Amino acid sequence: MTAEIISGTEIRKEILAELEVEVKEIKEKYGKPPGLVTILVGSSPASISYVTLKVKTAISLGFHEIQDDQPEDISEADLLALIEKYNNDDDIHGILVQLPLPKHIDDKKILNAINPDKDVDAFHPVNVGRLMIGGEEAIFAPCTPAGIQEMIVRSGTETSGAEVVVVGRSNIVGKPIAIMMAQKGVGANSTVTIVHTRTKDLAAHCKRADILIVAAGVPNLVKPEWIKPGSTVIDVGVNRVGMNEKTGKAILRGDVDYDEACKIAGKITPVPGGVGPMTITMLMKNTVKSARMHLSK
Ligand code: NAP
């Protein structure tokens, strides 16, 4: 058996095309586009490259996009004041603060200052609570888990009644995706198990998964014999395992032994080109949703 590849790169294209249509509709109906501000503090190369990608995607969709760059030594009070300014700006529907922040600034205090209705990253405790309640309450889902769920749905994987095993219990991936898959609704209704470093028999849990979601950050953690034949495997892990001397780029691997897993799984996401491209896409989707919500009030 050779697994069907669930390509994040392809699904990203589909979703961006849908969003482009939505942005046009929003502009026609309300006279303004979705507005997103991306706040970057300092000049870490990794943060600059993430922000650049987000800004480029937002502009390509026709958003009103502000890249607000602030110096490394901005005070916490000034950053809080900046967030308050965007909380009160009717043209802005999504506020994004690129992490990590410099050490003199309390990340939590900053993220908690964002109006939860403009928190398109969905890290605010109010949005974490809303996600837990589910249904209409869950306005924004955090972007990586939302991308995972979208890939599962768009690949035609049955989730209702499925055994889902999530490897990892982080606040940004493992816990939220586990909650989302267990909720009532489309792309959910699953029976979910979360496993982690204290789990007694990781292999036994993975083996019974109809949908195996792996977010551990350990290259080749999941062995081929842990995979149930025909199952759907979502590999969230992004591990730098070396450097390509010709291109100078990092060689990336997931948490699953991909080549061997392809012979057993029914569907599988590659690394790179799997979950990775979905995160920014879902950020854009959350911003469009937020714009509709704010502009229709
Ligand atoms: P994290 O905060 O480090 O959490 C890792 C989780 O995996 C922890 O809950 C840990 O268990 C568990 N774990 C680690 N080693 C394990 C092992 N040997 N057996 C069982 N469980 C193990 O990581 P994260 O932020 O969730 O990210 C996980 C991976 O996804 C990373 O490779 C990251 O780069 C990638 N990621 C990708 C995207 C994307 O593609 N867009 C986004 C986010 C993250 P304990 O809690 O017991 O320590």
Side-chain angles (χ1 to χ4, degrees):
M1 182 193 289
T2 305
E4 177 189 325
I5 311 300
I6 309 175
S7 164
T9 314
E10 289 305 313
I11 295 177
R12 173 183 197 272
K13 275 189 211 153
E14 264 174 49
I15 297 173
L16 291 182
E18 292 163 11
L19 290 179
E20 226 175 292
V21 174
E22 266 204 73
V23 171
K24 276 195 194 122
E25 273 171 24
I26 289 173
K27 273 189 196 162
E28 274 168 27
K29 190 163 180 191
Y30 302 106
K32 50 169 119 170
L36 176 69
V37 61
T38 313
I39 301 173
L40 170 68
V41 179
S43 53
S44 134
S47 294
I48 290 174
S49 103
Y50 288 134
V51 164
T52 306
L53 209 56
K54 289 170 188 173
V55 169
K56 233 170 98 181
T57 312
I59 291 172
S60 75
L61 288 173
F63 284 16
H64 163 56
E65 165 68 42
I66 299 175
Q67 183 178 344
D68 193 332
D69 292 349
Q70 294 294 324
E72 182 87 22
D73 62 354
I74 186 176
S75 70
E76 193 175 89
D78 284 352
L79 191 54
L80 286 169
L82 190 69
I83 287 170
E84 195 49 24
K85 182 183 101 172
Y86 289 120
N87 278 342
N88 295 315
D89 183 339
D90 289 341
D91 291 337
I92 292 296
H93 314 111
I95 301 172
L96 191 100
V97 179
Q98 186 63 44
L99 298 178
L101 290 169
K103 286 203 175 73
H104 67 279
I105 296 175
D106 180 350
D107 288 14
K108 241 190 224 167
K109 213 165 167 183
I110 300 299
L111 295 182
N112 291 358
I114 297 173
N115 174 352
D117 290 347
K118 294 189 178 186
D119 169 40
V120 286
D121 251 341
F123 290 152
H124 193 290
V126 166
N127 284 321
V128 176
R130 287 169 170 170
L131 190 81
M132 186 68 106
I133 296 165
E136 294 294 305
E137 290 280 337
I139 305 172
F140 305 124
C143 301
T144 300
I148 295 169
Q149 193 174 38
E150 194 83 37
M151 294 180 97
I152 292 171
V153 171
R154 289 189 188 232
S155 66
T157 302
E158 178 58 79
T159 60
S160 185
E163 288 284 339
V164 171
V165 174
V166 179
V167 183
R169 55 179 165 179
S170 72
N171 287 331
I172 61 164
V173 189
K175 271 193 265 183
I177 189 61
I179 295 298
M180 288 160 69
M181 297 306 296
Q183 296 286 19
K184 284 189 179 170
V186 177
N189 283 328
S190 306
T191 305
V192 181
T193 305
I194 306 181
V195 297
H196 43 76
T197 55
R198 308 296 169 97
T199 298
K200 281 188 183 140
D201 190 347
L202 201 58
H205 287 287
C206 292
K207 268 184 205 168
R208 55 178 179 76
D210 300 312
I211 303 173
L212 180 62
I213 301 169
V214 193
V218 180
N220 287 347
L221 171 70
V222 173
K223 312 291 176 248
E225 60 273 19
W226 297 9
I227 294 169
K228 180 174 172 180
S231 63
T232 294
V233 177
I234 309 287
D235 190 352
V236 191
V238 179
N239 306 293
R240 286 164 195 260
V241 295
M243 184 72 84
N244 183 322
E245 284 180 10
K246 278 191 193 147
T247 61
K249 286 188 177 165
I251 300 169
L252 303 179
R253 291 276 184 275
D255 290 349
V256 177
D257 180 346
Y258 180 76
D259 291 339
E260 291 303 311
C262 276
K263 297 174 189 163
I264 302 161
K267 295 175 186 161
I268 190 165
T269 61
V271 178
V275 177
M278 296 298 294
T279 301
I280 293 180
T281 311
M282 300 317 287
L283 177 73
M284 300 300 136
K285 198 166 176 173
N286 276 349
T287 307
V288 169
K289 188 174 186 190
S290 180
R292 269 198 197 282
M293 202 172 74
H294 286 273
L295 293 170
S296 63
K297 270 182 194 164

